[in-house]
Amino acid sequence: MCGIVGYVGNKKAASILYNGLKRLEYRGYDSSGIAVNDGLHIDVVKRKGKLKDLKNEIKNDMNGGTIGIGHTRWATHGQPSDINSHPHSNCKDNFVIVHNGIIENFRQIKDHLIKKGHHFKSETDTEVIAHLLEENNQGNILQALKKTAEQLKGSYAMTILAADEPNRIYAARKDSPLIIGLGENENYIASDIPAFLGETRDFYILEDNEFAVIKKDKVDIYNNNLEQIDKKTHRIDWDPEMAEKQGYEHYMLKEIHEQPDAVRRLMAHRVSQTGINLEELKLDQDFLKRLNKIHIIACGTAYHSALLGKYMLEDLVDLKVETDVASEYRYRKVPIEKDDLVIAVSQSGETSDTLASLRMAKEKGAQILVFTNTRGSSIAREADHLMLLKAGPEISVASTKAYLNMIVAFYIFSIFLAYQKAKISLEEYKKLSTDLIKLPELIEEIIEDSGELIKKRAKKYAESKSAFFIGRHTDYPLAMEGALKLKEISYIHSEAYPAGELKHGALALIEKGVPVVAVAVRKDIFEKTLSNITEVEARQADVTVVVCKGAQEIEDIVDHVIYIPDVNQLFAGALAIIPLQLLAYYTALLKDCDIDQPRNLAKSVTVE
Ligand code: M6R
């Protein structure tokens, strides 16, 4: 969604802010802007479009000012335009603000302020905050900010420059992330860690209903009563190079290739030939014994990992497992017992619906286990039990390596739980753990082997208007993920179906040349999937099958077969997803799409 950066120090702020925004570029946006205070006045530059459009407008380092704030916008209120871009200011232009989130009661506030004589320049919800600050300011800006925050309904992460106090940035947050980077005689603020990766490794996390005053040599944090509070310093464990393209044409391709190492990092210290070590989760043995229902909540790609996790947990642990997309779950009257475990899965750790569902479940007394890639994120901090995914920074909007680590996290957790609940023998436990350790090498093999064939297949997809993905059991959520990857980066309509469900409707759409990808790596149900493949083949669909080596008979039925290494069927998904990711990538490449920043999408969805 939107991105925030801020800097105060001795260097020229304009280029630091621009570079910070550049590092957040991957999150998706439609306009951007920066404001710099040169000691005399606050200069604002903002533009609709890409960051390069903004760059052309930044002249003379904006008078060399050493304090400023910046923003990339993903439009919610008011279309993308120069005027609606952030920063926004009040009538006198002495409060300049950037904001992430949504102010739900902005219309009422705006009407009230217009009656009092305020003039609005934009259609945004954000602008009301600047005018409200002006209205509330009796000489103490921090108090004015607190009063303003109390009048806002909705979510916000905001940073503010005040013309009267040119040496500081004010900040406040509620339900939208803000972190403060700590330097030597300079400090940073941002919505996301990558914004200052490379500048500093130490940061504070601003919590909901806290306020910050950031100067170059001091950061003061206040609670909701404006009492000053001490903050714990956190350390970033990502290297700046991890967020570079390193010679790949796109981040997505780089991230696909990073998957073997991402899985190795996830398994290090957790998986060995003797079993699984998940002491870090601090799960109580008695609770695990009583546990008989798990709820898994997530959105998008993370939800697809959740569906696969459900099958794994049912298979290995014989538990009741409910999965739902978080935007639905949060509004359902789901019965949650105190011995239920809720697993929230999120790459960013900031997805608003997932966070709200987690909170709802927590209020009902559930214990919360979180799988996330982002240390210090809101979802990570609300977890009772936390498994970090360790995929490293994922820059491409289309998730690949974080998704793979989510499904491997479910593998790890399922084996662990199955053994804890005495559902598998010690021998099976060791065998499953040993099979898991082999995955990274096999993933390397499939990335190596499948590229050329997939590039050829991509030509067919690039000229198609729609595509179908089918599979049964764990192959079905993989098909869903394959379809999502294709649609989000190549803009080709693609749908996933449980293979057995086709004949209940969608088969009507299958005719000569329609592309169908069948995932058929689940061996115990292979024959059934094969029948469905035959059904679409009989209607002259253009079928590509992803299958394990050893099932060569498939070549008698279809022309296009992608083999993955023969592996324990429980873990075959970790391999089968790779060709689907590559198919989406090469199709989008042929269509010349903006692969890392697909239209209308954002990396971190912090609004409802
Ligand atoms: O950060 P999260 O994992 O919570 O994000 C959830 C979805 O927004 C995300 O997976 C989205 O579907 C991706 N664009 C998929 O590639």
Side-chain angles (χ1 to χ4, degrees), residues 299-302 345-349 351 354 397-399 406 484-485 488 603 605:
C299 298
T301 282
V345 190
S346 172
Q347 186 286 128
S348 61
T351 301
T354 310
V397 166
S399 181
M406 285 168 191
L484 178 67
K485 285 286 92 85
E488 70 179 334
K603 185 68 183 161
V605 183

